[in-house]
Amino acid sequence: METFLNNALALCGLLAFCITLPGTLELLLLTIGATHPKRRPPAGGKRDLRLAIVIPAHDEASLIGRCVGSVIASARPAGSCEAAGSCETIVVADNCTDQTAAIARQAGARVIVRENADLRGKGYALRMAFDVLLEEGFEAFLIVDADSILSANLVTEVKHRLAAGAAAVQCRYRISNHDASMRTRLMDLAFLAFNVMRLKGRSGWGLSAGILGNGFGLRRETLTRVPWEASSIVEDLEYHLRLVDARERVDFINEATVYGETPATGGSARVQRSRWEGGRLRMAREWAPKLAAEIARGKWRLTEPLLELLLLPLAYHVLLLLFALVMMPYPFREWALAALLLVVLHVTWAASLGGQLWKNAAALLAAPFYIFWKMSTVISVLSASRRNAGWARTARDSQEP
């Protein structure tokens, strides 16, 4: 009986090792990459690109005016849109049942109304916008979510990089309401790790930084070479995989930030996280075999995107490592300890990138509760991964019952 138990534990240890190995290698790669010296941005192009700032929106009447105002304010400094027709703010009101379109127009945006009950979602809204605006001769595009606030320099930085020849760019993406609750503070810390630290690490190695769905820019030529055909709930990840497969690279703009809202309490946070992580799991099922096959043919540049797909959400990654540390025999226990120390280093470093280090460090004390909360979403994540979820607006906390 004792032999059987030892063999069972060893098998579980081997399974935990195999599941966490890609994620640990990814975290190690990106943590080392983040130590590389900051790359100097290329000199801006002499010609001013005609930029469309696209804001896809579904029933965002409460926040769309603020977003449009922030976009217009960011486009003013340093003459970033001083040439006539150089910038235009365009809201795609997708299947809206409220006053989103009217409020956006009043705030100063042009509005494209989209009605399609069958094809619903941000990906479809962006596809329509790109089709229309490419025909109108726009040379570059900046995509911003409807609940966002832009740093004052964001439009200037995006235009500078795209004019310098970047195929695509991604700005920092953080949470605007990070002080609303302990959960939002932890989410901001997660965003610093996922949306800043990892992009900084990829940039350090000269890899494509990734697209986060908010605050990313594309040149006209990029959309021509790699048409926008992403329609899943994680359309950003889907399109980035297509870009990497086509040998295109996304540059990271560490100097500019877009801030978006996240639910502070209640069931909205559970729904939002389940949809995102379910979508990522679906992309992993669809793309991991393709990437592995391409790597086997010698396309080593696809190794990092594959590792990124196979990295579990950190809460699940940590739980597996803790299980191995407590229950598994040598050498899996030592592996788990080393991998956990790497996670601590990675997250602590990420916390230092956002300022307010002590507040972020204090938030880490609540991380065990967050991990157990994440475990309660496993079933809904698996359910979300089995379907191509449509556009369902996340309710704000003030709108919850």
Side-chain angles (χ1 to χ4, degrees), residues 145 147 171-178 183-200 212 214 236 252 257-263 272-273 276-277 314 346-347 350-351 353-354 360 370:
D145 281 350
D147 63 349
C171 302
R172 281 188 174 213
Y173 179 16
R174 293 189 59 191
I175 290 175
S176 60
N177 59 330
H178 55 81
R183 178 181 286 141
T184 58
R185 173 65 65 178
L186 280 168
M187 282 301 300
D188 188 47
L189 185 55
F191 269 45
L192 283 168
F194 193 89
N195 297 349
V196 179
M197 180 74 171
R198 296 187 189 184
L199 275 63
K200 183 177 173 65
L212 305 175
N214 193 7
D236 49 350
F252 178 42
T257 306
V258 59
Y259 299 89
E261 285 201 7
T262 192
Q272 186 184 68
R273 299 309 302 174
W276 284 351
E277 290 173 6
L314 276 186
H346 185 82
V347 173
L353 298 176
N360 287 333
Y370 179 73

Side-chain angles (χ1 to χ4, degrees), residues 253-270:
I253 301 180
N254 194 31
E255 297 80 12
T257 306
V258 59
Y259 299 89
E261 285 201 7
T262 192
T265 57
S268 295
R270 181 187 301 273

Side-chain angles (χ1 to χ4, degrees), residues 14 20 57 92 111-112 130 149 154-155 186 192 197 209-210 226 229 231 238 252 280 298 310 318 330 338 357 368 377:
L14 179 61
T20 58
V92 184
V111 176
I112 299 174
F130 293 144
I149 299 172
L154 191 143
V155 173
L186 280 168
L192 283 168
M197 180 74 171
V226 187
E229 296 176 351
S231 58
E238 184 180 353
F252 178 42
R280 286 184 59 83
L310 296 178
V318 167
Y330 174 86
L357 177 59
T377 68

